[in-house]
Amino acid sequence: MPAPPPTPSAQPPPPTLLQPAPREPAPRRRLWWHRLIFGLWYRPVEVLDEARDRSAWSAAIMLSLVSGAIGVLSADAFHAQWAVDRIAGLQLIGLAEVGVLVASFVLGAVAHAIARTLGGIGRFAPTASLFIVLFWVTDLPRLAIAAWLPTDATFVQAATWTTWGFGYVLAILLIRGQHHLSTWKSTAAVSVQMLAALALLRLGPVS
């Protein structure tokens, strides 16, 4: 008795002319100022990851101006100048604001330049602008306290070291995420400017 013919194997269906369109990646939601500024305090890792490769110049400029204004308005030299000549007092505010903006930009630019020198691959605008944002966000509590207490007061000094340390850690996380560097290289990339900021902008005339 002859063997039955082999059953033909199932063939795949012929390709259709209409192929499904590839799905586009979901657009990244906008990172609003309040989510960036407040998020750096209570969920910094998540916010820095969300802010990766994004520029934040508007927030950086706003925070620099606010911080500079608080610092000038709380200085005794400004109050003395304001009592004598208000026009000169306004000019003093303007000069201080320009100085703060320039100093902030230099700090961000130096952080980016050192990171690139150490092998980083991040872009300038996100690195510099976010560095300025986190620098002033962490310094605002100290500025608010120093506006009411003497600079050499123990509480002000404690706030200075605490906020500076927190800002240092955030700066390391920022450079590590933006430039894909190791923790040690990221620490080296922000050490110079953070130490300079501690000496020039925060501690002031500490005995």
Side-chain angles (χ1 to χ4, degrees):
M1 181 177 182
T7 304
S9 59
Q11 298 293 329
T16 59
L17 296 178
L18 296 178
Q19 298 293 336
R23 292 185 178 181
E24 296 182 358
R28 300 173 68 184
R29 60 177 181 174
R30 186 171 181 179
L31 187 60
W32 296 97
W33 284 8
H34 69 279
R35 292 179 51 234
L36 175 62
I37 293 173
F38 295 107
L40 285 174
W41 281 103
Y42 65 89
R43 52 185 185 95
V45 176
E46 180 182 345
V47 167
L48 289 176
D49 184 68
E50 187 177 354
R52 184 175 299 174
D53 297 327
R54 294 186 180 187
S55 300
W57 285 116
S58 56
I61 293 173
M62 184 269 293
L63 286 169
S64 299
L65 294 176
V66 170
S67 301
I70 295 175
V72 173
L73 294 176
S74 60
D76 295 335
F78 169 77
H79 293 290
Q81 185 65 55
W82 183 262
V84 175
D85 187 353
R86 294 192 174 185
I87 299 298
L90 294 176
Q91 293 175 349
L92 181 62
I93 293 178
L95 291 174
E97 294 283 35
V98 172
V100 169
L101 284 175
V102 172
S104 301
F105 181 82
V106 170
L107 289 174
V110 170
H112 172 77
I114 297 178
R116 291 300 293 262
T117 302
L118 295 176
I121 59 175
R123 294 187 294 123
F124 172 78
T127 302
S129 61
L130 289 171
F131 184 88
I132 296 171
V133 168
L134 69 85
F135 180 85
W136 289 118
V137 163
T138 54
D139 194 47
L140 278 175
R142 181 204 63 88
L143 283 172
I145 296 172
W148 300 98
L149 297 176
T151 306
D152 57 352
T154 302
F155 189 63
V156 175
Q157 291 299 299
T160 297
W161 286 103
T162 302
T163 56
W164 177 81
F166 183 59
Y168 202 160
V169 173
L170 291 187
I172 294 171
L173 294 177
L174 170 68
I175 297 300
R176 190 177 67 176
Q178 294 286 351
H179 287 268
H180 303 283
L181 292 172
S182 64
T183 302
W184 294 112
K185 288 186 176 182
S186 301
T187 303
V190 300
S191 293
V192 174
Q193 55 272 30
M194 291 301 293
L195 291 174
L198 179 68
L200 300 177
L201 300 180
R202 301 192 175 200
L203 290 181
V206 179
S207 54

